[in-house]
Amino acid sequence: MTHADRLAAFVALGQRLTDLTTPSHADELANLAARARNQNNWFDLPNVTSAIRGIAHLLDEEPLRQWSGRYRPEPTTPAKLG
């Protein structure tokens, strides 16, 4: 998996999380929040929604590109070991 593939996967995840917080997905979000609340009472619908929005914000494409641009790309040729 290349750097671009990983970036695209994280951006797609961010978009899916953003979509989850829209009114058209309210039932799915409420179901997830109810399942989370079964494990921990702090995870009510407002807290789960806030957490999902926060994570989705971190997975916006442009900030991810800026952050990942600080690191060297992976080598194009495999390294010889041993």
Side-chain angles (χ1 to χ4, degrees), residues 3-46:
H3 173 75
D5 293 337
R6 286 190 296 275
L7 184 66
F10 280 115
V11 169
L13 175 61
Q15 185 58 49
R16 173 69 177 117
L17 292 174
T18 299
D19 291 345
L20 198 64
T21 61
T22 61
S24 62
H25 291 91
D27 291 339
E28 187 176 3
L29 182 60
N31 184 10
L32 287 171
R35 289 173 47 200
R37 190 172 185 139
N38 286 337
Q39 299 296 316
N40 184 332
N41 285 334
W42 287 93
F43 294 146
D44 59 0
L45 182 59

Side-chain angles (χ1 to χ4, degrees), residues 61-76:
E61 185 170 6
E62 191 53 36
L64 275 178
R65 283 192 185 283
Q66 290 176 0
W67 173 75
S68 64
R70 295 183 218 162
Y71 299 95
R72 291 181 291 150
E74 63 271 349
T76 57

